[in-house]
Amino acid sequence: MQRPLEDFLRALRAADVRVSPAEAIDAARTVATVGYADRELFKDALCATLAKSQAEVARFDRTFETFFAREALSLPPPPEDEAGETSEAEAAEVAGSPLAQALLQGDAAAVAQAMEAAAERAGVSEIRLSTQRSRLTRKLLEEMGLGEIEQIIASARARPDGQGLGDRLDAARRALAAEAQRYVERQHELYASGSGKALREEMLAKKALNADGGIDPVDLAMMQALVKRMAKRLADRYSRRRHRARRGHLDVRKTLRRSMGYGGVPFEIVWKSRKVDKPSIVAICDVSKSVAAAAQFLLTFLYSLNEVVDRLDAYAFSGRLIPVNAILDDNGVEGAILKVLQTIGFQQTDYGRALEDFCDNHLDRIDRHTTVIILGDGRSNFADPRLDLMQTIAQRSRAVIWLNPEPESYWAQGDSVMYRYERFCSVAKPCNTLGQLERIIEDVLRTYVPH
């Protein structure tokens, strides 16, 4: 019974329930303890072993019911009158095909068992793409013995008295094909729905955030969920790094010093530990029309990093600059951009004025531990860019990172002053996809090294 459990764990992983190798071993031990006889006990024991959150419990329940539930096959009923009974000649004709006999008798249980065995031989559970469904359905039917059925139908219809047998088998064949199609659909739902979603998310990670016509609402919801997962992945990675840094090595000098109070007996062991600072981030976002989508995803990303970010101060500007921490707390990241646009939107973008507002009111939020992330296209409508204020921010901060949704070749064209700001930045990169955003944020986290 090891193979069904392995297939079930694979279906759980496809349904986005994380199952580590250690948890798979625990699941095998659980099954060995509770057995398969009691369905509810079996389900509850596996759920307690594998699901780690309320969302995963819901996904576990759906996957369990799809994987282990079996609906009765819908096959033509056997003939009830004598005229429709199988004659000796017909019985002899189908004697070499157990599948044909089961179909004529309407034995749904035998056909279901044959289908399960044929599916294993055909490798239906290895389905990865929706385009494989037709091919695997045909392969499943061939493994069940569809070729023999078709030969019997052709042979029966060639005889004058074989029309009835041919018609009954043909109807059973069509019903069998429909059941095989349903079976493959269920396997696709179990094993391949996750791969399709992963492929879709991979494409969304490369989608331009300032694409013409905006982002489709369906894609927007998926991209917001994707950003949160990216942030969670980075948070987990850098949380582990900080935990490893806390282990340290034995500090002999401090241990001996503390042992003096106990007559030289080292009751208190002191470990050398390496400290990893949590990043302190100031985010300044241009929320003009061409940059608003990128700003929303950046703020979603940064707010989802609360486990590894010590302090996050967010500001938005179009013409004037305002702090948006309170707006984000009250409206969430999804609704904050709309609220910010209602407050300061539809103004002419002025980077110099925005920097002036920041330095006048919020410059004390920057110290040598702070990383400043500026998101904007650097297009200031030919106003004074106030490079002196940009230099002040760069001198006070740990690093200035500028993310520009436009390609680098545009940075010196038209009213863009990006090339003039660039010399005050530690890093200035084009950032127009979620994939680029994840890599840049990871670079920021990596700079906070153990010491």
Side-chain angles (χ1 to χ4, degrees):
M1 298 297 287
Q2 185 65 23
R3 179 62 186 271
L5 179 61
E6 290 175 359
D7 286 344
F8 179 59
L9 296 181
R10 197 153 53 84
L12 283 178
R13 291 185 179 113
D16 204 18
V17 177
R18 292 169 296 161
V19 181
S20 68
E23 289 167 340
I25 294 172
D26 289 343
R29 289 173 177 164
T30 301
V31 172
T33 302
V34 303
Y36 287 88
D38 189 329
R39 189 177 192 276
E40 288 304 313
L41 176 62
F42 173 70
K43 178 182 176 182
D44 292 343
L46 273 184
C47 184
T49 305
L50 299 173
K52 296 167 285 294
S53 66
Q54 191 172 357
E56 286 193 351
V57 169
R59 290 195 286 271
F60 177 93
D61 288 342
R62 284 197 301 272
T63 306
F64 186 92
E65 295 302 329
T66 306
F67 188 89
F68 288 104
R70 293 290 183 274
E71 296 180 5
L73 300 187
S74 176
L75 298 176
E80 296 179 355
D81 57 344
E82 291 185 0
E85 287 183 358
T86 306
S87 67
E88 291 184 2
E90 292 174 346
E93 197 160 357
V94 300
S97 173
L99 178 62
Q101 296 174 32
L103 289 174
L104 289 176
Q105 295 167 5
D107 189 348
V111 175
Q113 285 183 347
M115 188 175 289
E116 293 282 350
E120 189 169 346
R121 293 194 298 274
V124 177
S125 64
E126 302 300 324
I127 187 170
R128 290 290 177 272
L129 302 170
S130 58
T131 52
Q132 294 177 296
R133 287 177 293 186
S134 298
R135 183 179 63 80
L136 286 173
T137 301
R138 181 67 190 179
K139 191 174 180 182
L140 170 61
L141 290 170
E142 289 173 352
E143 288 289 342
M144 291 184 73
L146 181 66
E148 294 176 353
I149 301 287
E150 290 175 339
Q151 286 179 2
I152 294 172
I153 293 173
S155 174
R157 285 179 170 168
R159 291 187 289 106
D161 59 343
Q163 191 64 35
L165 175 64
D167 291 344
R168 293 203 303 276
L169 269 181
D170 190 42
R173 181 187 61 172
R174 289 196 297 272
L176 179 66
E179 291 296 339
Q181 193 172 10
R182 283 177 51 196
Y183 183 91
V184 173
E185 285 284 352
R186 192 167 70 242
Q187 303 304 304
H188 175 268
E189 183 183 347
L190 277 172
Y191 300 110
S193 58
S195 61
K197 184 180 177 183
L199 182 62
R200 179 69 178 159
E201 288 181 347
E202 185 179 342
M203 293 174 59
L204 290 177
K206 298 175 183 176
K207 185 181 179 70
L209 300 178
N210 61 349
D212 292 340
I215 300 174
D216 183 87
V218 177
D219 288 350
L220 183 63
M222 290 187 68
M223 290 169 77
Q224 286 171 342
L226 178 61
V227 164
K228 290 177 181 175
R229 275 206 300 282
M230 286 176 168
K232 176 67 176 168
R233 186 165 59 232
L234 286 184
D236 289 345
R237 186 181 305 164
Y238 286 90
S239 292
R240 287 198 294 272
R241 183 182 176 198
R242 188 158 38 251
H243 292 156
R244 283 199 299 271
R246 278 204 294 265
R247 291 175 188 168
H249 299 282
L250 178 65
D251 189 328
V252 177
R253 189 173 59 181
K254 290 184 178 178
T255 301
L256 290 177
R257 187 182 302 135
R258 294 193 184 184
S259 72
M260 298 301 290
Y262 305 100
V265 179
F267 276 113
E268 291 186 36
I269 304 299
V270 182
W271 301 93
K272 291 180 179 177
S273 61
R274 296 193 301 167
K275 182 180 178 184
V276 180
D277 290 333
K278 282 187 172 183
S280 173
I281 294 175
V282 166
I284 302 175
C285 301
D286 179 357
V287 292
S288 59
K289 183 179 178 182
S290 59
V291 195
Q296 183 174 354
F297 288 117
L298 174 66
L299 292 175
T300 302
F301 211 122
L302 294 177
Y303 258 68
S304 301
L305 285 172
N306 58 344
E307 295 177 29
V308 291
V309 173
D310 182 44
R311 178 168 57 87
L312 171 63
D313 294 315
Y315 303 89
F317 70 93
S318 180
R320 304 304 295 262
L321 179 140
I322 60 170
V324 295
N325 278 28
I327 299 175
L328 288 164
D329 292 338
D330 294 340
N331 300 275
V333 177
E334 291 80 5
I337 293 295
L338 179 61
K339 188 70 177 177
V340 169
L341 287 176
Q342 290 173 346
T343 307
I344 60 168
F346 311 108
Q347 300 175 9
Q348 193 171 30
T349 308
D350 187 341
Y351 278 72
R353 187 66 175 271
L355 292 176
E356 191 176 323
D357 286 343
F358 179 81
C359 290
D360 288 346
N361 303 308
H362 312 288
L363 191 59
D364 59 339
R365 303 301 293 172
I366 296 180
D367 57 29
R368 63 186 181 86
H369 301 291
T370 307
T371 297
V372 178
I373 299 178
I374 301 176
L375 177 68
D377 55 12
R379 296 192 176 277
S380 194
N381 294 299
F382 303 103
D384 182 0
R386 295 302 305 267
L387 298 179
D388 56 323
L389 298 180
M390 187 67 192
Q391 184 178 18
T392 301
I393 292 172
Q395 289 173 344
R396 287 179 65 100
S397 62
R398 176 192 181 100
V400 175
I401 297 173
W402 193 300
L403 310 181
N404 194 324
E406 292 188 343
E408 200 166 350
S409 57
Y410 288 14
W411 290 5
Q413 295 184 13
D415 59 345
S416 175
V417 289
M418 185 65 218
Y419 68 100
R420 299 179 69 183
Y421 285 133
E422 188 178 0
R423 65 177 184 270
F424 301 112
C425 301
S426 308
V427 175
K429 288 185 176 181
C431 179
N432 192 29
T433 67
L434 295 184
Q436 291 173 336
L437 183 60
E438 183 186 28
R439 284 194 294 275
I440 292 169
I441 298 299
E442 183 169 13
D443 287 343
V444 173
L445 296 177
R446 194 181 292 124
T447 60
Y448 287 80
V449 297
H451 59 87

